[in-house]
Amino acid sequence: MIHYYVSFQNPLTFYLQVQMQLAVPADAAPLELQLPAWRPGRYELQNFGQKIQRVEACDAATGQPLSLQKLTKDRWQVADAAGRTVRVQYNFYAHQMDAGGSWLDESQLYLNGIQCFMYAEGRRTESCELHLALPENWQVACGMKQLAPHVLQAASFDELVDSPLIASPTLHHARYEAGGLPFHVWMQGELQPRWDVILRDFQAFTEEQLRLFGSFPAREFHFLNEILPYKHYHGVEHLTSTVIVLGPAELLMTEGLYKEFLGVSCHELFHCWNIKTIRPAEMMPYDYTRENYFRTCFVAEGITTYYGEYLLARAGVRAAEQYFDELNTVLRKHYDDHGRYNLSVADASMDLWLDGYKPGVPDRKVSVYHKGALAALLLDLHLRRRHNHQRSLDDVMRRLWLEFGQPGIGYTEDDYRRLVTEVAGEDMSWYFEQHIYGTAELEGPLDDALHFVGCTLMVQPNASASEGRFGFRTIVKNERTEVTDIYPDSPAARGLTVDDQVVAVNGRRVDMNLQTLLSSGQPSYDFTVFRQDRLLTVSISPEPTPRYWNKVTVDKLPAATPAQQASFRQWLKQDF
């Protein structure tokens, strides 16, 4: 067994003291220690070594220092370790408050072990014990088995670093049961949770997910919530828990923030199956030292994004209109980005490691979350229509769970495509070639599929003059109107560029009045702009009617037939 110890002396510094202790056989190869460079759930190198300070090693029995050599940015070798019990110690800076981070202050310790624990090369499968030096009255919320107060046990390094924890004297806690299993809801923050409402809704969406898959991957589950005094939104999945960071705390039970709370919680629970156990073959096992490229994030995140909101409606937690609001947000984000014409959602899965979590250059990429969710909706409705609701995307996910997730086998692209084809009972090449590996538009096929359940895609012209007729967007920053986005091949693309500061239109100063100035009906407009501190004037002729960034939404057909209304009820389990 490998032992880890975490303590702190002065929480105002944000530094934790971390120790790792292990026995090294006399005939062992040189001891090499590796700190992960990334964390599952966020597919980019984060290089946690930059948070580590003063690494030292010694013989645990005698205290004799041992020579330590740094081999890479996050790998160390301990000399003369054979035949000794080695102790490695270092400081870790816990000052990142998000769902993948760690945080230390006077009121709590929030720890994601993936950021701060090293593993011994070749010994990741050994059991681990984590000892927390905490005040006696601090409670620990964590998915790991607790052997004693402030002592936790994991079956392996992978379980250790997949089990975040919150330790505090002020944790709020409640639990419910679903499928005979315990589900815990923990909250850290200054708030008064309405447990009756929270537990009712959580139990409803949990039971709906259990009905879909038939069984659960873990013996219990913990929702670890950091509820902050300021605005925030983030969630990260784990096998026996999820960390969700939301704020502001005083608004948690209001309609707006509570809606977000339910959505991210349902999404992250679905991940317990989809990515934590139904895992791509490329991540069996994880390689924490480098990128783990995989092309199926449209399954891992796209399908989860679809089900995260859809199952809330199916469970009766959301009304159909509320579900459509969330679906329309996904549509807006997808159609806001012209990158959907330039990169497939399968290639976007690979590019998560490149620039998947930042804006990137204009119109280069597509979102695996938004495009993936819309592709999942299209697939679900197509399967339901072909088999009159006797088959659906549920069947694909259930088979992924039974054939791959439950037995611990990684699935490939070909496995997923085969299951979809078998459930469909027909050749699905059109779906994969056009919408997964290609960049074909979704509007036509999606609108056609939505008609089966009495709904349709509505396309409304953009009422903003600058966006709809000229094809550019602006933001007012420090009383300056700056161009932020330009629609490709629009009139604006022939005269403006991103970062231009628009100071006047037709000789009139721009001051929160841009839309008015661009709505005078003239055939051409003179824009005076600062570009790289040079003053320029360019003439632009707008389109006669709005063409760019149209608003695409889902709504019910006003004249849906009885058959369409019945189909709607089978899809959403709600009245039309």
Side-chain angles (χ1 to χ4, degrees):
M1 178 176 288
I2 299 175
H3 295 264
Y4 295 85
Y5 302 83
V6 174
S7 61
F8 56 86
Q9 296 174 352
N10 180 3
L12 298 178
T13 67
F14 306 111
Y15 270 112
L16 291 169
Q17 284 70 57
V18 179
Q19 291 187 5
M20 173 188 184
Q21 187 167 303
L22 70 163
V24 181
D27 59 349
L31 176 63
E32 293 193 1
L33 304 175
Q34 177 71 48
L35 183 73
W38 67 282
R39 62 168 177 80
R42 189 175 183 93
Y43 308 106
E44 68 174 356
L45 296 180
Q46 293 185 276
N47 295 318
F48 302 126
Q50 60 193 308
K51 298 175 181 286
I52 301 297
Q53 179 196 67
R54 195 180 178 85
V55 183
E56 299 174 320
C58 70
D59 186 312
T62 66
Q64 175 188 346
L66 299 176
S67 176
L68 191 72
Q69 181 182 4
K70 191 166 188 178
L71 303 179
T72 70
K73 58 183 169 51
D74 44 28
R75 193 175 184 90
W76 293 259
Q77 185 178 81
V78 182
D80 301 320
R84 302 176 186 269
T85 297
V86 174
R87 179 185 301 135
V88 178
Q89 60 188 35
Y90 47 90
N91 299 323
F92 169 70
Y93 193 65
H95 190 52
Q96 178 186 338
M97 179 50 80
D98 60 36
S102 299
W103 183 268
L104 173 67
D105 62 27
E106 304 98 317
S107 67
Q108 67 164 316
L109 166 62
Y110 158 47
L111 187 65
N112 263 291
I114 191 76
Q115 293 190 315
C116 69
F117 293 139
M118 301 178 187
Y119 63 86
E121 187 61 59
R123 299 178 64 174
R124 268 173 54 182
T125 60
E126 291 186 32
S127 60
C128 306
E129 215 170 74
L130 174 59
H131 303 256
L132 303 170
L134 300 171
E136 187 175 331
N137 66 328
W138 282 31
Q139 192 175 10
V140 178
C142 183
M144 271 191 287
K145 181 180 179 181
Q146 298 198 33
L147 301 178
H150 306 164
V151 180
L152 302 100
Q153 186 179 64
S156 64
F157 178 82
D158 284 9
E159 182 183 342
L160 173 73
V161 297
D162 191 40
S163 303
L165 64 90
I166 301 174
S168 170
T170 56
L171 277 166
H172 302 264
H173 174 248
R175 58 167 281 172
Y176 63 94
E177 286 195 2
L181 298 172
F183 290 78
H184 300 264
V185 184
W186 302 86
M187 294 195 183
Q188 173 65 18
E190 298 179 6
L191 74 159
Q192 296 297 323
R194 286 194 56 191
W195 286 120
D196 56 335
V197 175
I198 293 171
L199 296 184
R200 177 200 67 200
D201 293 342
F202 272 54
Q203 185 174 37
F205 72 67
T206 302
E207 290 176 344
E208 188 66 29
Q209 295 196 25
L210 287 169
R211 280 190 289 270
L212 192 162
F213 287 104
S215 57
F216 194 63
R219 67 185 184 275
E220 62 181 18
F221 194 81
H222 297 256
F223 294 90
L224 309 179
N225 297 285
E226 288 279 0
I227 311 299
L228 307 178
Y230 51 87
K231 187 177 181 180
H232 200 94
Y233 175 92
H234 193 206
V236 173
E237 66 272 12
H238 302 276
L239 180 59
T240 59
S241 64
T242 176
V243 176
I244 292 166
V245 182
L246 285 177
E250 66 270 17
L251 299 182
L252 179 65
M253 299 310 301
T254 62
E255 181 180 356
L257 191 56
Y258 186 64
K259 173 194 70 175
E260 302 290 346
F261 181 43
L262 288 175
V264 68
S265 298
C266 188
H267 177 108
E268 301 302 340
L269 181 62
F270 196 87
H271 269 316
C272 192
W273 290 275
N274 190 25
I275 197 57
K276 296 311 299 181
T277 45
I278 302 170
R279 195 189 304 176
E282 296 90 335
M283 295 185 180
M284 298 293 281
Y286 294 122
D287 183 343
Y288 295 117
T289 68
R290 61 175 182 83
E291 297 93 337
N292 290 208
Y293 290 107
F294 68 116
R295 288 171 59 84
T296 52
C297 203
F298 61 90
V299 177
E301 290 293 355
I303 289 179
T304 301
T305 299
Y306 168 57
Y307 271 110
E309 295 296 338
Y310 167 50
L311 288 177
L312 288 173
R314 218 164 82 173
V317 175
R318 286 224 206 287
E321 291 72 19
Q322 293 172 313
Y323 170 56
F324 285 169
D325 286 343
E326 298 305 311
L327 186 54
N328 289 337
T329 297
V330 173
L331 285 163
R332 176 182 57 78
K333 291 179 178 179
H334 175 67
Y335 284 102
D336 266 1
D337 197 333
H338 213 72
R340 67 186 185 275
Y341 294 111
N342 299 320
L343 192 70
S344 73
V345 73
D347 285 347
S349 298
M350 303 290 280
D351 280 3
L352 286 170
W353 295 98
L354 180 65
D355 61 354
Y357 300 93
K358 55 187 178 183
V361 301
D363 307 316
R364 194 194 77 80
K365 59 184 180 177
V366 70
S367 167
V368 296
Y369 295 85
H370 308 138
K371 171 71 177 293
L374 296 175
L377 170 62
L378 172 61
L379 178 59
D380 190 24
L381 294 178
H382 176 80
L383 295 174
R384 289 175 178 275
R385 177 172 58 180
R386 176 166 173 78
H387 296 283
N388 196 26
H389 295 284
Q390 297 306 301
R391 296 184 187 180
S392 69
L393 188 54
D394 289 8
D395 296 280
V396 176
M397 297 310 299
R398 193 178 301 111
R399 286 190 59 181
L400 278 171
W401 163 238
L402 293 174
E403 297 177 28
F404 296 95
Q406 202 167 45
I409 302 169
Y411 74 92
T412 66
E413 284 181 86
D414 289 342
D415 291 325
Y416 176 69
R417 186 165 181 165
R418 173 180 58 81
L419 289 182
V420 168
T421 300
E422 290 176 1
V423 170
E426 65 173 346
D427 184 4
M428 292 295 291
S429 295
W430 65 270
Y431 173 77
F432 284 95
E433 298 308 319
Q434 293 180 37
H435 304 300
I436 301 300
Y437 302 119
T439 58
E441 278 286 12
L442 281 166
E443 291 100 311
L446 190 54
D447 185 51
D448 183 52
L450 283 164
H451 273 69
F452 173 63
V453 292
C455 298
T456 187
L457 280 185
M458 309 284 290
V459 180
Q460 298 172 288
N462 191 326
S464 164
S466 62
E467 296 182 12
R469 296 176 60 227
F470 287 85
F472 73 98
R473 286 175 165 163
T474 61
I475 187 172
V476 177
K477 185 165 56 177
N478 298 326
E479 299 184 348
R480 303 193 314 178
T481 301
E482 296 183 2
V483 177
T484 59
D485 200 4
I486 296 177
Y487 200 97
D489 299 322
S490 66
R494 295 186 285 274
L496 299 177
T497 187
V498 170
D499 296 332
D500 277 354
Q501 178 191 346
V502 183
V503 295
V505 173
N506 290 342
R508 296 276 305 277
R509 183 167 67 94
V510 171
D511 181 16
M512 305 299 291
N513 59 348
L514 180 63
Q515 302 308 320
T516 301
L517 295 177
L518 296 179
S519 301
S520 59
Q522 296 179 227
S524 180
Y525 292 76
D526 291 333
F527 288 75
T528 304
V529 302
F530 273 114
R531 180 177 301 164
Q532 298 179 358
D533 290 334
R534 295 182 62 199
L535 192 63
L536 306 172
T537 299
V538 295
S539 295
I540 301 175
S541 299
E543 297 287 350
T545 57
R547 287 187 53 188
Y548 309 111
W549 286 305
N550 291 329
K551 183 179 180 181
V552 181
T553 58
V554 172
D555 206 347
K556 295 177 183 178
L557 285 168
T561 67
Q564 289 173 318
Q565 294 182 33
S567 191
F568 179 92
R569 287 191 289 271
Q570 286 188 277
W571 172 50
L572 274 194
K573 296 186 178 179
Q574 294 192 27
D575 290 336
F576 190 83

